[in-house]
Amino acid sequence: SQELEQSPQSLIVQEGKNLTINCTSSKTLYGLYWYKQKYGEGLIFLMMLQKGGEEKSHEKITAKLDEKKQQSSLHITASQPSHAGIYLCGADSTGNQFYFGTGTSLTVIP
Amino acid sequence: KAGVTQTPRYLIKTRGQQVTLSCSPISGHRSVSWYQQTPGQGLQFLFEYFSETQRNKGNFPGRFSGRQFSNSRSEMNVSTLELGDSALYLCASSLVVSSYEQYFGPGTRLTVT
């Protein structure tokens, strides 16, 4: 089965600081998705990456998929309290099942 | 457009009982997927329904089942509840099957005592 490891598991940053979350796969990724979850709630789709080297941005969040397509990073610039939550990476397997990473809990201190 | 709704939001059951959770997808979405989220195992895929047919299934025991109605609403059922079934159950809807662009509901928090 496909495994997605995220690091760090949790992150506490001061408002205004930049941060990076990593997602590493045990297999080649054919599609990598980033979601954000507010505590105890559903997930919000952020963005999807498919091609090696691809980079996408949405507001202050940028995600990249590395050339070898086994790792993705999510970078937040000038973090705000509204960025707080759990960030999950996800991928689909050849069996059309979605797998999710272990999650990274982000706290932003005002 | 209304989002994905799940009922009930919270539920407390006793071991051995069964439970049915409901999910109403976004209007026009025909695919509904169910996930279980626990602190230990994270977010795990249960199954996906599209046009009233189960299209994909995760690695869960047969106690977990689901169905989808002609209006795309979906229910999942867990029989003979175990303490380990305590979790947040999320459903997600999408326009087509196996889509990455899923829209999640707020979840149903199930506690088994």
Side-chain angles (χ1 to χ4, degrees), chain B residues 12-113:
Chain B
I12 300 174
K13 289 284 187 178
T14 305
R15 266 182 303 177
Q17 287 186 314
Q18 74 160 10
V19 68
T20 300
L21 312 181
S22 180
C23 172
S24 292
I26 290 173
S27 177
H29 285 194
R30 294 169 63 192
S31 171
V32 173
S33 297
W34 287 90
Y35 296 86
Q36 181 196 64
Q37 188 175 34
T38 60
Q41 299 297 320
L43 192 59
Q44 293 183 290
F45 172 77
L46 280 156
F47 29 65
E48 180 180 17
Y49 284 86
F50 182 81
S51 293
E52 301 177 65
T53 303
Q54 187 180 91
R55 298 303 179 107
N56 297 300
K57 189 176 188 304
N59 297 322
F60 277 81
R63 299 185 297 107
F64 292 82
S65 62
R67 59 178 176 167
Q68 187 180 34
F69 302 94
S70 57
N71 60 359
S72 294
R73 190 177 70 85
S74 177
E75 288 181 348
M76 70 161 274
N77 184 77
V78 188
S79 62
T80 321
L81 284 165
E82 300 176 1
L83 293 178
D85 296 334
S86 294
L88 180 67
Y89 289 89
L90 294 164
C91 86
S93 77
S94 57
L95 277 169
V96 297
V97 69
S98 302
S99 171
Y100 65 88
E101 199 165 344
Q102 303 176 70
Y103 295 84
F104 283 78
T108 293
R109 171 76 63 187
L110 171 65
T111 302
V112 182
T113 61

Side-chain angles (χ1 to χ4, degrees), chain A residues 47-88:
Chain A
M47 55 192 91
M48 177 211 177
L49 304 163
Q50 276 187 306
K51 301 174 188 174
E54 186 175 11
E55 182 175 317
K56 284 188 178 175
S57 292
H58 175 68
E59 296 180 347
K60 293 185 178 179
I61 301 175
T62 301
K64 284 186 204 180
L65 183 61
D66 81 355
E67 293 290 339
K68 293 181 182 176
K69 295 175 71 175
Q70 284 198 261
Q71 187 175 49
S72 177
S73 60
L74 184 88
H75 184 77
I76 298 177
T77 305
S79 58
Q80 299 168 357
S82 61
H83 287 127
I86 300 171
Y87 288 82
L88 291 139

